[in-house]
Structures are given as structure tokens and as C-alpha cells.
Amino acid sequence: MNDGPSSFAARKPPLRDLSTSAVHRVARFYAAPEATIHGHRAKIDGPRMLIKVNGKPAQVLGRRRNGVWRVDRNPPFDENAEVVIFVDLGWAPPGFYIAPARETSDAIRARLAEFKARHGGQRPRNPDSNLSEIKLKDSKWRDHWNAFS
């Protein structure tokens, strides 16, 4: 059996049929084994988007195609998460971005505040929305598994 990238792509779940919440749960089952490949102890633990890596709680967020990441919560991450693992399921094999939860959360809040300031202090279309975008253009988080060391 060929275990190369094309074989992985053939076995990849049909993500387009899943809810956003289900995509995050699928991402969790990619993140835990990937962490072990990089020499860490990992286990699925806690609520539906958390794992523990070397005892550190990490929130896992997935996306099905390329673009920006979106969170629709305030605060954006679980209060116990020390690290956020973003899993890009739009590629075969998936891409992993590992970032400090507090630093990422602060960046999201600052970006949202700047956006609101440009629009009179509130979101122009949906003032009550908590939806925020996260852009991971900075490749320093790509495969940053030493965040768990």
C-alpha cells in the first residue's frame, strides 16, 4: 500500500459535509498524533476542542480550506488553553500552526478594536457579532512544536 501524500488525500474525510464544530473535532484527532511525531506526549482531553500536550492544555481549531481562520467567541479561546494549535485541513498532509493562546487572543482583540475604531466604534453590519479573523501569515508559528517543550 502506498502511504504517500496522494494516498492520504484519497482517505481524507469529506470536510465540506461537516459543521464547523465537527471540523474542529476532526482537527483535534490530527493534532494529537502530530504532536507525538514531534516527540511530545499528547492526549485528547477535556471539552471537544482541547488536547493536552506534555501536560499543557491546547485548544485545537481546524479549517477546511485555505484563507483566514475564524473564531466566533469572546474570549476567542478556552480560558484553560495555554497554546492554540491551528490545523489547516485544506492541504494533504495537514499544516500545523502552534501559537501562544494569550498572545494570539490579544492580537485578535487589538485587531477587532482597530476595526471597530475605523467604523465608529462598532461592527458596521452586525454590531453584536463576535466573529473575528485570524491571519497566520507569519510563518514563525508553522510547525512550532517547541511551544510544548
Side-chain angles (χ1 to χ4, degrees):
M1 179 173 158
N2 179 3
D3 284 321
S6 61
S7 177
F8 176 87
R11 293 187 311 250
K12 199 168 159 185
L15 298 173
R16 69 184 171 280
D17 299 335
L18 298 178
S19 68
T20 300
S21 179
V23 169
H24 294 317
R25 289 193 303 270
V26 167
R28 187 164 85 138
F29 288 98
Y30 280 100
E34 187 71 17
T36 63
I37 288 170
H38 291 275
H40 303 290
R41 294 179 327 278
K43 69 177 189 169
I44 305 296
D45 185 63
R48 61 182 179 228
M49 292 190 298
L50 289 179
I51 66 173
K52 281 197 176 172
V53 180
N54 293 343
K56 283 186 181 181
Q59 181 163 349
V60 180
L61 297 175
R63 69 175 178 189
R64 33 179 97 94
R65 58 188 170 276
N66 300 328
V68 296
W69 301 85
R70 289 187 171 88
V71 291
D72 191 15
R73 294 178 42 187
N74 189 11
F77 308 119
D78 185 280
E79 64 186 23
N80 296 316
E82 295 179 32
V83 177
V84 182
I85 302 172
F86 297 93
V87 183
D88 187 348
L89 297 167
W91 297 96
F96 298 90
Y97 298 83
I98 300 92
R102 180 171 289 154
E103 182 178 330
T104 307
S105 184
D106 290 347
I108 291 168
R109 285 190 186 105
R111 186 180 160 131
L112 183 58
E114 289 171 8
F115 177 79
K116 286 181 176 181
R118 288 192 312 267
H119 294 91
Q122 67 179 7
R123 298 176 71 95
R125 291 188 205 149
N126 189 351
D128 297 326
S129 174
N130 288 319
L131 187 64
S132 297
E133 293 183 349
I134 305 167
K135 294 184 180 179
L136 296 174
K137 289 181 182 177
D138 190 348
S139 63
K140 73 179 180 179
W141 303 125
R142 173 89 178 175
D143 292 322
H144 185 64
W145 292 103
N146 61 356
F148 295 106
S149 298

